[in-house]
Amino acid sequence: MVPTSTRWNSQYEAISRIITIPLNELNPLCVKLGIKCLNEREYQFLKEYCTVMKPLTVALDILQGDESTYGALLPTLTSLMSKTLSLKDDLSRMTASLPDVIVKAIKTRFDAVLDSQEGLLAAATCPKFKLRWVRDEHRREYVKELLITECRKAAPATENTNVSQIPASPAEMDFFEFQNQPSESFSAEKEVTDFLRSGYELEILNQFPNLKKMYMKYNSPTPSSAPVERLFSLGGLVLSPKRNRMSDRRFEKLLLMQYNHCFSPKENNKT
């Protein structure tokens, strides 16, 4: 394992392999390879470095996955900062400030995203996240109200579709006094409440059409450019020098077949 600039976790993976070797076996190996040996303090630093950086590498793997949506960004960043800060008590003076540096860098880099309504709605409409990742009670209520408001906007004309219209004569209309019912607010609030109490599978969105529209709207982007870069790499494999006379249409079809295999229905295994 050699660190490279194109693989973000390669340095961590390389160092984590080194510290799996005990120091009394690592230094004789360094002597045979003609490189400088490590002392106890340097070896301890590498172990603590891997301890602090492990949550970051896990977060990167999640965000750069092919099936990761934009809604995974805020829950991942929130969990990453929480897990990183919780490691401070187990570190020595050499690396005690590293968790604070990582969290500060995350807040600086994602300052415009951490409190954005788009990011909050994208995460809240994901069935596997919903509001479970929001720890602050006031913030949870804010995101819930945001969901209800957006749910009303998603379906302004569908709130009263189930109300039957009974014809009445002018005399009857003059006799009865009706009070306006807040059906729109109730319907949107009920849909959000039922959604938050439902399961965590993606298919659960089929029971909530308005929230499904919101999910498709806010989760269309990807949280990382890695899937796009992998798509370009796959395009280079499909359009090889021996297939240089391929038409654009055929190239597009082959690329979609290669890359979208995870979205195709699974074949039933016949025994």
mmCIF file with all atom_site columns, all heavy atoms in Angstrom, residues 86 153 226:
data_model
loop_
_atom_site.group_PDB
_atom_site.id
_atom_site.type_symbol
_atom_site.label_atom_id
_atom_site.label_alt_id
_atom_site.label_comp_id
_atom_site.label_asym_id
_atom_site.label_entity_id
_atom_site.label_seq_id
_atom_site.pdbx_PDB_ins_code
_atom_site.Cartn_x
_atom_site.Cartn_y
_atom_site.Cartn_z
_atom_site.occupancy
_atom_site.B_iso_or_equiv
_atom_site.pdbx_formal_charge
_atom_site.auth_seq_id
_atom_site.auth_comp_id
_atom_site.auth_asym_id
_atom_site.auth_atom_id
_atom_site.pdbx_PDB_model_num
ATOM 1  N N  . SER A 1 86  ? -14.845 12.838 20.688 1.00 0.00 ? 86  SER A N  1
ATOM 2  C CA . SER A 1 86  ? -14.909 11.878 21.797 1.00 0.00 ? 86  SER A CA 1
ATOM 3  C C  . SER A 1 86  ? -13.599 11.136 22.020 1.00 0.00 ? 86  SER A C  1
ATOM 4  O O  . SER A 1 86  ? -13.445 10.454 23.045 1.00 0.00 ? 86  SER A O  1
ATOM 5  C CB . SER A 1 86  ? -16.028 10.860 21.540 1.00 0.00 ? 86  SER A CB 1
ATOM 6  O OG . SER A 1 86  ? -15.732 10.054 20.413 1.00 0.00 ? 86  SER A OG 1
ATOM 7  N N  . LYS A 1 153 ? -45.914 22.892 0.386  1.00 0.00 ? 153 LYS A N  1
ATOM 8  C CA . LYS A 1 153 ? -45.563 23.440 -0.921 1.00 0.00 ? 153 LYS A CA 1
ATOM 9  C C  . LYS A 1 153 ? -45.530 22.357 -1.993 1.00 0.00 ? 153 LYS A C  1
ATOM 10 O O  . LYS A 1 153 ? -45.810 22.621 -3.156 1.00 0.00 ? 153 LYS A O  1
ATOM 11 C CB . LYS A 1 153 ? -44.201 24.125 -0.851 1.00 0.00 ? 153 LYS A CB 1
ATOM 12 C CG . LYS A 1 153 ? -44.143 25.342 0.048  1.00 0.00 ? 153 LYS A CG 1
ATOM 13 C CD . LYS A 1 153 ? -42.749 25.924 0.072  1.00 0.00 ? 153 LYS A CD 1
ATOM 14 C CE . LYS A 1 153 ? -42.659 27.135 0.998  1.00 0.00 ? 153 LYS A CE 1
ATOM 15 N NZ . LYS A 1 153 ? -41.271 27.676 1.052  1.00 0.00 ? 153 LYS A NZ 1
ATOM 16 N N  . ALA A 1 226 ? -16.400 11.695 -6.391 1.00 0.00 ? 226 ALA A N  1
ATOM 17 C CA . ALA A 1 226 ? -15.771 10.398 -6.670 1.00 0.00 ? 226 ALA A CA 1
ATOM 18 C C  . ALA A 1 226 ? -16.592 9.535  -7.643 1.00 0.00 ? 226 ALA A C  1
ATOM 19 O O  . ALA A 1 226 ? -16.004 8.929  -8.554 1.00 0.00 ? 226 ALA A O  1
ATOM 20 C CB . ALA A 1 226 ? -15.519 9.647  -5.360 1.00 0.00 ? 226 ALA A CB 1
#
